[in-house]
Amino acid sequence: MDLETHAQLASGPSAGNWSELPHDILTSIFVKLGAIEILMGAGLMCHSWLEAMLPDSWRSVDMEHYSSLKINEYDLYHMAQVAIERSCGQLEAFTGKGFVIDEILQYISDRSSTSIKKLGLVSCHAVTKEGFAQFITQCPLLEDLSLEYCEQINAHETYEVTGKACVHLKHFTLAGWCKRGAALGIAAMGNLQNLSLVRIDVENDELAAIIDSCPHLETICAGLRQFCP
C-alpha cells in the first residue's frame, strides 16, 4: 500500500468519522436499535445521523425493554408520540410496556390505521376496554396481536370485538388471568393460525369451541400444553 492510499483510508469513515457513512448503512444500523435508544442518544449525535432516520427506520417501534434505564412513564409517553410521528404514517409494528394508555393507541390509529399490522401490549394496566375497542375497530389490517397482563382488556368482549374488526388477524398471544368463559371470545377470530395462551385458565370445552370456529389454526399453546388441530 502506497502512502497516498494509506492517507486516503485514514481520512475516511474507517478513521472514526461515522458521520460520513452512507445513509443506507446508517439506516440499517438504526433499524437494529430500539426506539428508546435512538431517541435518547443516536438521533442527537450529528446532522447526518438525523437525516438517515427516514420513516423506514420507524416502521417498527419497540418500547418494551427499558427496565435498565431511568425513564419515567411521562417521558416514555412523549417518546412514543415522537416515534409514531417520525414513521410518517408507515408504522407497522408497535410494542409498549406499562406506560401505554388509551391516548397512545388513539395516536397510532389516527396516524397509521392503514399500515399497523402488529401490536403488543405488556402490563398496560391503564388501557381500558373502551379505548382498546376504539383502536381495534380503526385498524382492520392487524395481523399479530399480543396482550400480556393487561387486566382491563382481558375480557370476552375484547376478543370478540377484535375478531370481528380484524379479519386478517393470524397470530394472537394472551397472557394473564381472565374470567371463566372469557376465552370463548377468541372463537370470533376465525382466521387465526397461531394461538398462545400463557397462564390462562382455559377449559377443554373452551378450546374445543375455539378450534371449531377457527379452521385455519395450525398451533395452540395453552399453558404447558400444545395442540395441533
Side-chain angles (χ1 to χ4, degrees):
M1 180 183 300
D2 58 36
L3 291 177
E4 183 178 356
T5 303
H6 186 278
Q8 290 175 348
L9 290 174
S11 63
S14 60
N17 190 358
W18 285 52
S19 65
E20 295 181 6
L21 284 172
H23 276 199
D24 57 340
I25 294 179
L26 285 173
T27 300
S28 67
I29 293 173
F30 294 139
V31 167
K32 297 181 184 299
L33 291 175
I36 295 176
E37 287 81 0
I38 294 176
L39 291 170
M40 289 187 68
L44 306 176
M45 294 300 292
C46 64
H47 186 69
S48 64
W49 282 33
L50 187 60
E51 287 183 342
M53 295 176 191
L54 301 172
D56 281 353
S57 304
W58 301 95
R59 287 181 184 273
S60 179
V61 174
D62 186 345
M63 299 186 68
E64 178 183 357
H65 307 287
Y66 59 86
S67 56
S68 61
L69 303 173
K70 295 182 179 180
I71 314 175
N72 60 48
E73 293 192 353
Y74 177 83
D75 289 336
L76 286 166
Y77 174 90
H78 288 287
M79 290 169 75
Q81 287 184 316
V82 172
I84 295 165
E85 285 285 357
R86 290 188 179 181
S87 72
C88 297
Q90 299 181 35
L91 183 67
E92 295 181 358
F94 180 88
T95 303
K97 180 179 180 180
F99 70 92
V100 179
I101 58 178
D102 291 349
E103 285 77 5
I104 287 292
L105 295 182
Q106 189 63 48
Y107 210 77
I108 294 173
S109 61
D110 285 345
R111 291 156 179 79
S112 302
S113 62
T114 59
S115 64
I116 189 74
K117 297 180 180 179
K118 181 177 180 179
L119 176 71
L121 300 178
V122 183
S123 301
C124 296
H125 309 299
V127 174
T128 66
K129 286 191 292 186
E130 296 77 15
F132 183 81
Q134 185 172 358
F135 165 83
I136 214 71
T137 54
Q138 294 174 341
C139 301
L141 300 182
L142 206 66
E143 298 179 1
D144 192 324
L145 176 63
S146 179
L147 303 176
E148 302 181 31
Y149 308 103
C150 303
E151 64 267 19
Q152 288 205 62
I153 53 177
N154 278 358
H156 182 285
E157 311 93 276
T158 299
Y159 318 139
E160 192 169 40
V161 168
T162 299
K164 292 178 179 178
C166 303
V167 296
H168 300 286
L169 192 66
K170 299 176 182 177
H171 313 284
F172 181 48
T173 296
L174 178 64
W177 177 86
C178 68
K179 294 181 180 179
R180 173 73 171 88
L184 284 173
I186 298 172
M189 304 176 185
N191 289 315
L192 272 187
Q193 295 179 4
N194 305 104
L195 173 63
S196 181
L197 303 173
V198 182
R199 296 186 179 181
I200 298 295
D201 185 15
V202 58
E203 302 294 335
N204 288 335
D205 59 332
E206 294 176 284
L207 285 174
I210 292 171
I211 292 172
D212 289 343
S213 302
C214 303
H216 304 291
L217 268 175
E218 298 174 359
T219 60
I220 303 176
C221 294
L224 298 178
R225 299 178 290 174
Q226 180 166 339
F227 304 84
C228 295

